[in-house]
Amino acid sequence: MTADLFESVAGLLPSREVMAEGAVLLRGFARPVEAELLAAISEIEAQAPFRRMFTPGGHQMSVAMTNCGNAGWVTDRSGYRYDRIDPGSGKPWPAMPSVLRELAESAAGEAGFAGFVPDACLINRYEPGAKMSLHQDRDEKDYSAPIVSVSLGLPAIFLFGGPRRSDKTQRYRLAHGDVVVWGGPSRLFFHGVAALADGEHPLLGRKRVNLTFRRAR
Ligand code: SIN
Ligand code: FE2
């Protein structure tokens, strides 16, 4: 097979990399709907702009956030929680567009979590230098549902560890269109994002946008 033919065949195969038991990286999984995703994010952003929230300790996050869906993740001096209302507008978060929900459901199914129905989609915007320190996603009521994370724009280094903060982390480069799903035995694994390197993405410019789908309630 010529190198060109190999490339085109490889491009058609779904690529999956197992990161841990219950955790899988689906490279390029969101690419077929990238235009619809970006259009949906622009509409959400127009109703619920990105903002840099404060942690309970009073530290302003470097990542700017917004949400869509019935439950939006928020943080302020009183703590981390899910809220139906955007504290910025006093109105409910924008509804979750079906293209987002369907992508999350199909990625979850591909990773072995059929029946996942997200009610929350946190949208993170990273500019060069923004990062997210190692944490667990534990503000959800029920840990039986997985987390589905969609990366768009500039590539980032995703750190994926284990059940303890001190566990060694593996580094994965997440590029535009990559989807990570973790649940089951790895649902509460520590993870984070290294400081975003500067660059220029053909569709998003100097930023990375991450969609994190969860069953919050
Ligand atoms: C998160 O853990 O909430 C975000 C992960 C990411 O931006 O890839
Ligand atoms: Fe997280």
Side-chain angles (χ1 to χ4, degrees):
M1 198 158 40
T2 68
D4 275 0
L5 182 57
F6 177 76
E7 291 263 301
S8 61
V9 171
L12 298 173
L13 296 173
S15 141
R16 54 187 298 140
E17 187 175 337
V18 175
M19 301 161 66
E21 202 188 335
V24 55
L25 166 51
L26 304 168
R27 290 197 198 275
F29 193 86
R31 288 294 291 268
V33 290
E34 64 185 8
E36 292 88 338
L37 293 177
L38 296 176
I41 294 165
S42 300
E43 281 187 31
I44 292 163
E45 187 181 346
Q47 298 169 63
F50 284 102
R51 77 294 306 259
R52 288 174 56 208
M53 300 189 208
F54 286 84
T55 65
H59 167 81
Q60 189 173 23
M61 299 184 80
S62 58
V63 177
M65 298 174 169
T66 185
N67 290 275
C68 65
N70 290 335
W73 187 83
V74 293
T75 173
D76 59 20
R77 290 308 296 248
S78 65
Y80 305 126
R81 64 189 174 279
Y82 283 95
D83 204 313
R84 195 177 68 84
I85 302 295
D86 173 356
S89 66
K91 294 191 294 202
W93 295 103
M96 192 184 300
S98 52
V99 58
L100 271 69
R101 200 192 58 249
E102 284 162 15
L103 172 67
E105 291 173 358
S106 64
E110 191 65 30
F113 299 98
F116 174 56
V117 181
D119 59 0
C121 174
L122 170 66
I123 309 177
N124 292 319
R125 185 187 69 199
Y126 296 73
E127 286 178 341
K131 63 181 165 58
M132 194 170 293
S133 49
L134 219 54
H135 66 279
Q136 294 169 294
D137 286 11
R138 52 183 315 154
D139 302 320
E140 301 72 33
K141 219 172 95 186
D142 171 1
Y143 301 143
S144 65
I147 307 287
V148 175
S149 159
V150 177
S151 292
L152 297 168
L154 287 179
I157 299 297
F158 183 61
L159 309 167
F160 195 69
R164 285 168 301 271
R165 183 177 292 278
S166 58
D167 289 332
K168 188 179 167 357
T169 56
Q170 307 249 55
R171 297 162 69 87
Y172 295 90
R173 180 180 185 274
L174 299 184
H176 179 75
D178 290 351
V179 178
V180 180
V181 181
W182 66 99
S186 48
R187 173 62 180 75
L188 289 172
F189 277 19
F190 279 87
H191 58 279
V193 178
L196 192 77
D198 203 354
E200 181 74 29
H201 186 272
L203 297 177
L204 280 108
R206 292 179 71 205
K207 64 177 189 277
R208 168 178 188 255
V209 171
N210 167 262
L211 309 173
T212 305
F213 296 89
R214 307 185 180 106
R215 183 83 205 169
R217 297 173 153 159

